[in-house]
Amino acid sequence: MKSVTLKKLFLLHSWVGIVTAILLFIVCFTGALAVLSRPELKIWANPELHQLSTLPSEKVTELINQYHQKVPEAFGENIHVYLPTGHNTHLLTLLFESHDGDENYTEEAVYAYQFDPRNFELVKEYYGTAAYFYEHRKTDAPSFIGHFHADLHLGRPIGLILNGFLGLTLLVSTITGLFIHRQLIKELFTFRRKKEFDVVVSDAHKIMGIWGSLFHGIIGLSGAFLGLATIILLPAAAFVSFGGDQEKLVERFTAMPEPVISHNYQVTDINTILIDAQARYPKAKIVDLTIMAHNDVNAEVYLRLLGGDAVASQLLQYHGNGEFSKSMSSLGDIPGPAIKVLTLLFPLHFGNFAGIFVKFIWALLGLTTALLPLSGMMMWLAKRSRGSNPTLSELAYQRWNRAIIGSCGGLVLATAILFPAQVLLNNLVAVELHNQYFGPLFFYSWLAWFLFAIFPINYYRYLQVTLLVTGISCIAVLPLNAVLSSSHAFIADNLLVTVVDISFFVIGLFTVYATKCINVKRVALAQTSINQEVTA
């Protein structure tokens, strides 16, 4: 490849990374945690799920029929049932929906009933708009992080568009990085950990980039699609194929078309359907079910399953009499390889297609994806502050490093604080008040830590304190749980809770130990520069 072309690719690789480095770190770091947020961390965060096994299908059927009789007829035609598996909600939720609203609401309205899965006691009931119900569902630390990863809490369309374009920049950086590193084989195995810090960062950047290039490319491509699909790609497809009519496009690809209600009574055999689905796919989990035209001869029931032998989620269709109809993808029973590829994008993005081991690998690889733009930016800054004719002064270099630690390190610290806070909230604060704590705690702690970067402090000390506070926050999870909770690592009859508690403790110890590994000589050198900055 010509040197001119390589130079252009290098410039593209550098500037794409510099412009988006901090945003990419934010999205990729929270994405690495989001891989484990559902169901693993969500189960840990909600005591209602600690001792939970499969719900008895007879009881679920009984509750559906019982509360179906209490709602107006218009609300009984579409019923959504969310099972407490850790993928959706922590409570058994029955949602009776009217697409056209009623005399009080002109938009989509619902009657919602939520039950404690441990004893099936009614915990909460709601009547109002569907949008308000979904927006104000109880959240927890893992769900908060997962939602933040999805749209940076900027909402639609801004958050999704930004995330989509960040996926594209990651894809561009991955491809250009492979082209500009011509000695791939050599760099695959080069890591000089005893050299200068700049050399260690450079070697780590190349190793993470080359070894993980396939993973980074998949994450970039799938992230771009998931972010841009509903905002840009869906309207574009509707414009090309359906004259701009998005409703027709959605209708064409919907997996659950509305049945024709005959008003001829026939019992919808939900119990038989649940038993049959579990027998057909014993390794999969039934996450939710949708019942259309309940107790009508034309009733249809759809069950969404995750896990088992299928890579992507499955949608099972049953007739109301309990007869199995077909299994299809979440996009419907549409033939063609393109649909199969699209259905794989979500499980490939979050690693939820082959058990907890693959999810753990995905989370670790996700952390390397987060470190790539950060290490690249550090290399860019170091290169411009070194040599006989540096373009970046030492004071500017110090300020840039504080800004990186404040923004990226502050994010890590704010995220770590959420987990001991989750333990405190579970045991000291009423459940209905939980939602109002996570946002302020996360954003204010992140902002406060970032503001420290304004002051002329030693950035190595700044990094040490950031790691120390993060480590202490993680360590605090286990003892807080042991003191306050009746379900923790030492007595919980749940291996997942034990593993999560101990994992936080180990991660915290490792992070605190990392503060001891920061080079003392570099701290002294950085302090000299700080003294110059203060004097100036």
Side-chain angles (χ1 to χ4, degrees):
M1 188 175 291
K2 295 181 180 180
S3 59
V4 175
T5 304
L6 279 175
K7 186 176 180 180
K8 290 179 179 178
L9 287 174
F10 183 80
L11 287 172
L12 177 63
H13 180 80
S14 299
W15 283 107
V16 167
I18 295 304
V19 171
T20 62
I22 292 177
L23 280 174
L24 270 177
F25 176 86
I26 292 170
V27 171
C28 294
F29 175 77
T30 53
L33 294 181
V35 168
L36 297 171
S37 65
R38 296 185 181 188
E40 291 80 16
L41 290 176
K42 190 172 182 68
I43 292 174
W44 169 84
N46 291 278
E48 295 90 345
L49 302 176
H50 288 184
Q51 311 300 329
L52 190 65
S53 57
T54 304
L55 293 182
S57 57
E58 299 88 352
K59 187 63 179 179
V60 174
T61 303
E62 177 189 335
L63 289 172
I64 293 171
N65 289 327
Q66 178 184 344
Y67 283 87
H68 176 257
Q69 296 175 2
K70 295 185 177 184
V71 301
E73 184 179 352
F75 286 83
E77 296 174 0
N78 286 278
I79 306 172
H80 301 289
V81 182
Y82 297 101
L83 301 180
T85 59
H87 292 91
N88 283 317
T89 176
H90 66 297
L91 301 173
L92 172 61
T93 302
L94 309 183
L95 212 64
F96 298 88
E97 182 179 80
S98 172
H99 291 307
D100 301 321
D102 59 4
E103 64 274 10
N104 297 318
Y105 299 98
T106 56
E107 56 186 301
E108 187 175 345
V110 296
Y111 281 88
Y113 303 93
Q114 296 186 295
F115 305 87
D116 189 326
R118 295 170 294 188
N119 51 27
F120 296 103
E121 289 184 3
L122 180 63
V123 175
K124 180 181 179 182
E125 54 184 308
Y126 167 85
Y127 163 65
T129 64
Y132 185 89
F133 173 79
Y134 285 114
E135 185 179 346
H136 291 84
R137 284 183 299 176
K138 176 186 176 292
T139 191
D140 45 56
S143 299
F144 181 88
I145 294 168
H147 293 154
F148 181 75
H149 169 71
D151 62 6
L152 301 177
H153 284 196
L154 296 175
R156 299 186 179 192
I158 296 174
L160 290 178
I161 292 175
L162 179 58
N163 248 358
F165 279 109
L166 286 173
L168 290 177
T169 62
L170 176 59
L171 187 60
V172 169
S173 297
T174 302
I175 294 172
T176 54
L178 289 174
F179 277 107
I180 64 177
H181 294 295
R182 288 166 289 180
Q183 298 177 326
L184 287 178
I185 302 301
K186 179 181 177 181
E187 291 172 346
L188 275 172
F189 304 98
T190 301
F191 185 64
R192 295 161 288 183
R193 61 185 182 86
K194 294 184 179 180
K195 293 286 186 178
E196 290 293 318
F197 182 70
D198 296 342
V199 176
V200 173
V201 170
S202 177
D203 287 348
H205 180 81
K206 294 171 185 175
I207 286 175
M208 290 187 297
I210 297 172
W211 278 105
S213 57
L214 179 61
F215 174 82
H216 306 318
I218 290 173
I219 295 300
L221 177 62
S222 57
F225 177 83
L226 294 174
L228 300 176
T230 57
I231 305 301
I232 294 178
L233 300 181
L234 181 62
F239 178 79
V240 172
S241 303
F242 295 89
D245 192 336
Q246 293 188 39
E247 290 186 2
K248 285 187 177 180
L249 176 65
V250 172
E251 184 180 343
R252 171 68 180 87
F253 284 91
T254 185
M256 295 182 284
E258 295 278 351
V260 177
I261 300 176
S262 68
H263 298 289
N264 293 321
Y265 182 82
Q266 176 183 278
V267 174
T268 302
D269 198 350
I270 300 170
N271 183 44
T272 298
I273 291 171
L274 289 170
I275 293 173
D276 181 79
Q278 204 62 73
R280 286 176 183 273
Y281 302 96
K283 296 180 181 179
K285 280 188 177 181
I286 302 173
V287 177
D288 55 59
L289 57 151
T290 299
I291 306 161
M292 294 183 170
H294 185 47
N295 288 340
D296 189 272
V297 72
N298 290 334
E300 297 289 337
V301 181
Y302 297 87
L303 285 73
R304 187 163 66 97
L305 276 67
L306 288 176
D309 297 326
V311 174
S313 63
Q314 300 178 79
L315 200 63
L316 307 186
Q317 181 181 3
Y318 284 84
H319 300 308
N321 60 4
E323 178 187 352
F324 176 74
S325 175
K326 58 185 173 182
S327 171
M328 51 188 163
S329 75
S330 56
L331 295 177
D333 191 17
I334 303 172
I339 295 297
K340 292 181 179 179
V341 172
L342 291 179
T343 58
L344 292 176
L345 288 178
F346 189 86
L348 283 176
H349 191 74
F350 289 101
N352 52 354
F353 58 86
I356 186 62
F357 178 73
V358 169
K359 294 188 76 172
F360 182 70
I361 297 298
W362 240 242
L364 291 178
L365 288 173
L367 290 177
T368 67
T369 307
L371 291 173
L372 266 181
L374 205 59
S375 57
M377 190 171 188
M378 292 169 65
M379 291 163 58
W380 187 84
L381 291 172
K383 183 177 180 180
R384 278 149 184 78
S385 64
R386 304 287 186 267
S388 56
N389 189 25
T391 57
L392 192 68
S393 69
E394 186 63 27
L395 293 182
Y397 181 70
Q398 299 281 338
R399 291 166 182 157
W400 269 104
N401 276 288
R402 290 202 300 270
I404 293 172
I405 295 168
S407 55
C408 299
L411 170 72
V412 176
L413 182 147
T415 303
I417 288 174
L418 291 181
F419 291 97
Q422 179 72 67
V423 178
L424 293 173
L425 289 173
N426 283 348
N427 293 280
L428 302 176
V429 178
V431 173
E432 57 270 17
L433 300 178
H434 284 195
N435 287 14
Q436 61 187 270
Y437 284 92
F438 290 106
L441 180 61
F442 178 78
F443 288 111
Y444 288 150
S445 58
W446 187 8
L447 176 63
W449 206 255
F450 177 74
L451 291 177
F452 279 116
I454 298 173
F455 301 101
I457 55 180
N458 185 317
Y459 73 89
Y460 278 102
R461 292 296 186 197
Y462 190 21
L463 176 60
Q464 280 184 319
V465 176
T466 302
L467 291 174
L468 183 63
V469 176
T470 302
I472 291 173
S473 298
C474 292
I475 290 173
V477 169
L478 191 148
L480 281 175
N481 239 343
V483 171
L484 298 175
S485 176
S486 59
S487 179
H488 52 78
F490 304 114
I491 63 172
D493 189 21
N494 186 313
L495 179 61
L496 177 62
V497 175
T498 302
V499 169
V500 172
D501 275 359
I502 294 175
S503 295
F504 273 120
F505 192 78
V506 172
I507 291 170
L509 288 177
F510 177 80
T511 307
V512 171
Y513 173 76
T515 65
K516 306 294 184 182
C517 300
I518 295 177
N519 195 310
V520 177
K521 292 182 180 180
R522 287 190 169 273
V523 173
L525 289 172
Q527 188 60 50
T528 302
S529 300
I530 291 299
N531 293 337
Q532 295 174 0
E533 183 176 358
V534 173
T535 304

